[in-house]
Amino acid sequence: MAIDLTGGIDPAREQVFAHRPDDPEMRDSVSFWVVDDRGEVGLPRIGIEAVAANWDAHDVQVNVAFPDGRVYRLRENGQSWPAQGPDGCPTVLGAGGLGFRCVEPFDTWTMSYDGKAVQTSSTDLIDGKKDGPLVDVSFHVEAKMAVPPWVQGALSAEADERLKTSIEGNLMGGPRYEQLFRATGAVKVGGDEHEFVGTGLRIRRQGVRKLAGFWGHSWQSALFPSGRAFGYIAYPPRPDGEPTFNEGYIFDGLDGTGDLIPARVVEAPWLTRLQPAGEDASLVLETASGTVHIDGETILSTHDIYHDDKMYSTQALKQEMPSFPALQQAGVRYRWDGEETFGMLERSNPLDKIATSQ
């Protein structure tokens, strides 16, 4: 029995909006996280946020990061691309120099960028410094899906209830799923080119997203050479003691078959200090059959401390919540029962709960 890489989801959900939605707050979004299998270069969140109120110029986020601390970063509104792909279906989400394309639903996607990025560093970003020279940057990634998609709320009745009845549903931003993949590609910065194979995570989201009241999160996932994988998203405990969203999975792909096994994180690396790399990112997941311990260490990272970029959605965010939590987006070396891979980590916390350590 082969792995069902659709997860039973209608392939039409892979398509993007063909036209501007009527609701000005409606969003369409595609994002990728990619790390090469040597840990030498990472793309810790490349994404487009297409907001109906600013439909002709989508938000573009580019992060290219290296273990030596170099970061090449772009936040801008780019002219929107037509949504129609080669077959006439709305399978392309693009803006400025960045484009995503669904080649085959739940099987193959591509991501490409050709343009400029600001040269900075992990250390400068921690200090809130985002200025630097503009450098030519390009990359192309072909992503082949390897694990069934995880639909948030589908694995836990409690998590589903949180999305339907509490603030977490607004924070998630509507129907959303993510899917791990194997990647091939190349990254070029200036005159240096890095061809690679690796792994990554793809996220699809369509809906209205409201981030007011957001108090932080931790989000990790990775795909191992054997086919095993894990992922979760959790929000930290609330001061009022109310439950929070906490859902995840493990995947045992050793025999080439299987479904996502529901899990929840019981030990997460909450963001409590700002550090470029070398930080413990280990976690413990709990399943019905026991606990899973996965060791992790950050190898590269980017940070958004003050969220003062001029993208449309960022400006709207600052109006919703002026003191939005500081954010880290990172590549992590993970070890699970002696097996090693590289994967993603995103986490956030209010600045008054974070210490700086460099």
Side-chain angles (χ1 to χ4, degrees):
M1 179 179 175
I3 299 171
D4 179 9
L5 292 175
T6 74
I9 301 173
D10 184 348
R13 285 189 62 184
E14 291 277 77
Q15 295 183 0
V16 303
F17 290 136
H19 308 287
R20 182 199 302 261
D22 293 334
D23 183 344
E25 293 187 291
M26 184 62 67
R27 294 187 183 199
D28 205 348
S29 176
V30 178
S31 57
F32 274 28
W33 299 69
V34 185
V35 183
D36 86 292
D37 63 5
R38 296 166 297 184
E40 294 180 354
V41 61
L43 306 174
R45 212 269 179 175
I46 311 292
I48 290 178
E49 296 285 329
V51 185
N54 199 53
W55 196 250
D56 294 333
H58 300 333
D59 291 2
V60 172
Q61 174 178 324
V62 170
N63 294 312
V64 179
F66 294 89
D68 63 6
R70 288 177 295 145
V71 175
Y72 300 86
R73 179 183 187 275
L74 184 72
R75 304 289 188 276
E76 70 172 10
N77 286 105
Q79 182 175 350
S80 307
W81 296 11
Q84 282 67 36
D87 61 356
C89 295
T91 55
V92 175
L93 186 63
L98 178 63
F100 297 91
R101 180 186 164 218
C102 175
V103 179
E104 184 175 346
F106 299 105
D107 182 272
T108 306
W109 278 70
T110 62
M111 173 180 71
S112 61
Y113 179 71
D114 191 358
K116 301 285 187 179
V118 175
Q119 180 178 334
T120 180
S121 70
S122 300
T123 301
D124 280 350
L125 291 174
I126 287 173
D127 291 336
K129 302 172 184 176
K130 306 188 302 295
D131 296 332
L134 285 173
V135 177
D136 290 327
V137 171
S138 63
F139 50 77
H140 178 81
V141 176
E142 180 176 276
K144 297 287 289 185
M145 304 305 121
V147 174
W150 169 37
V151 179
Q152 281 68 66
L155 300 179
S156 160
E158 180 181 350
D160 185 50
E161 182 69 13
R162 297 302 304 168
L163 294 181
K164 290 177 178 177
T165 63
S166 69
I167 187 176
E168 286 97 329
N170 291 333
L171 300 177
M172 203 67 73
R176 179 190 186 280
Y177 55 86
E178 59 184 63
Q179 190 168 23
L180 287 158
F181 59 77
R182 301 198 184 280
T184 58
V187 175
K188 188 175 183 180
V189 176
D192 296 330
E193 185 167 5
H194 306 261
E195 294 185 356
F196 67 87
V197 296
T199 56
L201 183 71
R202 173 179 71 94
I203 299 91
R204 280 289 290 129
R205 171 169 39 82
Q206 288 180 322
V208 174
R209 192 176 197 189
K210 295 183 179 294
L211 291 166
F214 183 57
W215 70 97
H217 77 306
S218 184
W219 171 26
Q220 294 175 275
S221 73
L223 171 63
F224 287 76
S226 66
R228 291 196 304 180
F230 77 90
Y232 78 87
I233 298 173
Y235 299 113
R238 292 168 52 129
D240 59 11
E242 287 293 313
T244 64
F245 182 88
N246 182 337
E247 186 184 45
Y249 67 89
I250 62 171
F251 179 71
D252 184 358
L254 296 177
D255 60 357
T257 64
D259 298 317
L260 303 183
I261 299 170
R264 56 182 283 117
V265 67
V266 292
E267 293 183 24
W270 307 111
L271 182 62
T272 57
R273 61 178 177 174
L274 302 178
Q275 184 172 315
E279 190 171 2
D280 186 10
S282 302
L283 64 140
V284 178
L285 293 168
E286 182 180 65
T287 72
S289 59
T291 55
V292 174
H293 297 252
I294 300 172
D295 295 326
E297 180 183 15
T298 58
I299 61 162
L300 52 85
S301 69
T302 68
H303 292 80
D304 284 286
I305 303 301
Y306 300 114
H307 305 282
D308 53 0
D309 295 296
K310 293 182 170 56
M311 293 187 303
Y312 178 84
S313 62
T314 302
Q315 295 299 305
L317 168 64
K318 294 295 283 188
Q319 293 180 11
E320 280 188 78
M321 190 176 179
S323 57
F324 193 80
L327 176 73
Q328 179 189 29
Q329 295 171 319
V332 177
R333 176 187 288 107
Y334 289 109
R335 293 186 178 92
W336 181 2
D337 290 342
E339 190 178 13
E340 182 176 298
T341 194
F342 296 92
M344 59 79 64
L345 162 67
E346 181 180 273
R347 53 187 177 172
S348 62
N349 222 351
L351 277 173
D352 62 4
K353 295 183 178 180
I354 299 174
T356 301
S357 176
Q358 295 194 48

